[in-house]
Amino acid sequence: MTCFSNLKELMRFSKTQDKVFLYGAGMVGRAFLRYCKKLKNSYDEKMNLSGFFVSSPIDDIAWIDGLPVYVFPEYCGRHSKENAFIVITVREGIQKQIESMLEQAGWDHYTLLTGEMAREILWEQEREIHSLHSRINRLEESFIRMIPKPSINLSYHLSDACNLNCKGCWHFAPLAEEGCPDVSEFEGDIIRLAEIMEGEVTLVSLFGGEPLLNKEAYRYPYLIKKYLPDAQIELLTNGLLLPKQTELFWKSMHDNDVVIEWTRYPVSDEWNAGIEQVLKENHVEYRIFNGGEEKSLSHIVLDINAMGNNGQKGRNDARWQWLHCFRAGDCVQLKGHKLYPCTTAANAHLLKEHFGLDIRLSELDGIDIYKARNREEILTFLAKPIPFCRYCNVQGESYGHKWSVSKKELSEWT
């Protein structure tokens, strides 16, 4: 018997043999076979696997994973030992039994797959299975993302600007000038959406920026409830201006069943306690967006200067980026009479204008709700990549960064 201290030594030696048989076609043997097959994708010399050995027939199974299965006593009776090497791939409890059978047959050119080696192979297999399941789940999510939804959730900025200005804000709020949209313009858009979507708007989220910078924030829920009575309404806020709101605001929250989605930022424990007390005193429904966890930041990455083979900036495959982006189609924003499938594309003009960037913002990044012919056209548009996706680098995004205020540096978004 030949002994090896680790799998690397065993594999190196096995590649030098004319024939290699695996004695044992159970879980360990099959896992070892899959481990060996990984070598097929390398430039290294392949192992010459010739088949499985078993002590007795396995329900007439003649092949396993592409290798023939031989009953060892019968094989020995018909073939010479040649330069064939056997790796015993059975559990430790019956290895001695197999060794005894090999010795009786005069076969001493073999080795044992030790318990440590078997555990390493099985762990590797489990890791690969987990990786495969993860990939399947991602593919399933990507496939679902490409199927138009029956209705939409949409968001609307009551203000592009913010009074907190988080570093790397997805909406580019630190780069926005103060100012608020026209309420009558919003009403016209909601009337049009109610008509063309045939009422199939499930949720309207009012945010920004910071929505409470808009002095008329209380008016918007009434318009939503009037034209989209079945839609849920949320107002997403950092809460800093909640203590300053008037009775008109709180009445609107009650009248229109608005849920206040409060993100608790690390401004100070005293401030946060005061904000939550105001919410409780006014008896409104509210949720804390980040729960009890400390607020952290994520870093989206835009490849604004990446040059493709055609000389056009933005070289990434828009389809790939779309399929792997959790925001795609799930962060629909209404802005300038258009629906955008993500907030990044809807507000990228702020980045372009502030830094004077040479990036192309296409008319095809959003769909005009007044030019769209029907609900199906809108839903189909929101389930497909847009030209702006080519600037995104989803695989480069990172999360869990310590919260801080923006310095308005381009590196926060690239």
Side-chain angles (χ1 to χ4, degrees):
M1 181 180 72
T2 307
C3 296
F4 302 95
S5 60
N6 55 56
L7 272 174
K8 189 175 181 180
E9 287 184 5
L10 169 58
M11 303 303 282
R12 187 185 301 118
F13 178 83
S14 298
K15 292 175 196 175
T16 66
Q17 305 302 296
D18 293 338
K19 291 183 178 181
V20 176
F21 290 92
L22 308 181
Y23 203 126
M27 180 177 66
V28 177
R30 297 184 190 202
F32 184 67
L33 172 61
R34 286 189 285 272
Y35 184 83
C36 295
K37 282 186 173 181
K38 288 173 61 178
L39 298 175
K40 288 185 177 180
N41 295 323
S42 73
Y43 292 103
D44 208 348
E45 186 180 354
K46 301 179 185 67
M47 186 184 298
N48 297 311
L49 292 168
S50 300
F52 283 103
F53 279 149
V54 294
S55 299
S56 56
I58 311 177
D59 298 328
D60 297 324
I61 294 176
W63 294 80
I64 293 177
D65 293 339
L67 282 186
V69 179
Y70 302 106
V71 178
F72 180 72
E74 295 177 1
Y75 185 92
C76 285
R78 298 196 305 266
H79 300 81
S80 62
K81 299 180 182 59
E82 310 139 340
N83 184 24
F85 180 60
I86 296 177
V87 181
I88 299 178
T89 55
V90 297
R91 64 180 186 274
E92 290 178 291
I94 59 174
Q95 285 180 348
K96 291 296 183 183
Q97 179 183 335
I98 304 300
E99 280 191 87
S100 177
M101 188 179 299
L102 292 178
E103 290 171 1
Q104 289 177 13
W107 202 311
D108 58 2
H109 194 39
Y110 68 90
T111 191
L112 293 172
L113 194 67
T114 67
E116 184 177 346
M117 293 179 186
R119 283 189 291 274
E120 182 179 343
I121 290 168
L122 292 171
W123 179 86
E124 177 72 15
Q125 176 179 277
E126 184 177 345
R127 188 182 66 82
E128 289 182 355
I129 290 173
H130 177 73
S131 177
L132 179 61
H133 285 167
S134 297
R135 180 169 175 76
I136 289 172
N137 289 338
R138 288 197 299 272
L139 287 172
E140 184 181 64
E141 290 171 3
S142 297
F143 177 72
I144 292 172
R145 188 170 286 126
M146 299 294 283
I147 301 174
K149 296 178 179 180
S151 62
I152 60 171
N153 298 339
L154 66 89
S155 63
Y156 186 80
H157 276 193
L158 296 190
S159 169
D160 286 342
C162 186
N163 57 347
L164 203 49
N165 293 319
C166 301
K167 180 179 180 180
C169 172
W170 291 0
H171 303 246
F172 310 107
L175 310 177
E177 300 291 337
E178 291 188 10
C180 300
D182 187 281
V183 179
S184 60
E185 181 179 296
F186 173 78
E187 182 175 13
D189 286 352
I190 287 296
I191 292 173
R192 173 58 177 166
L193 277 174
E195 172 194 343
I196 196 168
M197 291 301 299
E198 301 173 54
E200 291 299 334
V201 178
T202 308
L203 172 69
V204 180
S205 298
L206 302 172
F207 64 117
E210 170 49 49
L212 297 185
L213 289 174
N214 189 326
K215 303 297 185 184
E216 297 184 298
Y218 69 93
R219 295 181 59 185
Y220 291 82
Y222 286 109
L223 296 173
I224 297 168
K225 187 61 69 173
K226 179 179 179 180
Y227 300 109
L228 293 168
D230 296 326
Q232 294 179 305
I233 308 173
E234 291 180 343
L235 186 140
L236 284 75
T237 175
N238 59 36
L240 297 181
L241 295 176
L242 280 173
K244 297 182 179 180
Q245 296 308 301
T246 65
E247 286 301 318
L248 284 174
F249 172 82
W250 296 113
K251 186 175 187 302
S252 176
M253 298 301 102
H254 286 288
D255 290 348
N256 301 293
D257 301 315
V258 179
V259 177
I260 295 181
E261 192 91 21
W262 168 42
T263 301
R264 182 160 46 195
Y265 288 89
V267 284
S268 77
D269 292 340
E270 184 180 358
W271 260 103
N272 285 326
I275 291 169
E276 190 157 15
Q277 183 61 32
V278 167
L279 289 167
K280 291 177 179 178
E281 287 174 354
N282 284 280
H283 307 290
V284 291
E285 185 177 351
Y286 73 95
R287 293 190 293 262
I288 301 176
F289 185 75
N290 52 325
E293 298 182 3
E294 181 178 348
K295 173 63 179 173
S296 61
L297 300 178
S298 57
H299 179 206
I300 64 170
V301 179
L302 299 177
D303 284 343
I304 56 174
N305 293 314
M307 193 71 72
N309 293 331
N310 60 0
Q312 186 180 43
K313 289 188 176 181
R315 68 179 178 185
N316 295 323
D317 185 330
R319 297 165 303 172
W320 192 97
Q321 298 298 325
W322 170 273
L323 290 174
H324 292 81
C325 178
F326 73 88
R327 295 183 296 278
D330 281 333
C331 296
V332 177
Q333 183 170 345
L334 173 63
K335 193 179 185 76
H337 311 306
K338 283 188 171 186
L339 287 174
Y340 293 83
C342 83
T343 55
T344 305
N347 299 288
H349 64 96
L350 296 170
L351 187 77
K352 176 183 173 73
E353 293 161 6
H354 183 86
F355 294 105
L357 299 177
D358 181 22
I359 59 175
R360 185 170 185 270
L361 303 181
S362 172
E363 285 295 316
L364 301 178
D365 288 333
I367 184 169
D368 192 312
I369 60 175
Y370 293 96
K371 294 179 180 178
R373 292 166 295 182
N374 50 45
R375 168 173 163 260
E376 287 70 27
E377 184 178 349
I378 288 177
L379 293 172
T380 300
F381 173 85
L382 295 173
K384 296 191 299 184
I386 57 175
F388 187 83
C389 291
R390 68 177 178 265
Y391 291 111
C392 289
N393 180 0
V394 173
Q395 61 271 41
E397 294 181 357
S398 55
Y399 305 88
H401 300 284
K402 184 176 178 61
W403 182 84
S404 61
V405 175
S406 173
K407 296 180 180 179
K408 301 185 181 183
E409 297 173 345
L410 183 58
S411 60
E412 296 177 24
W413 295 278
T414 59

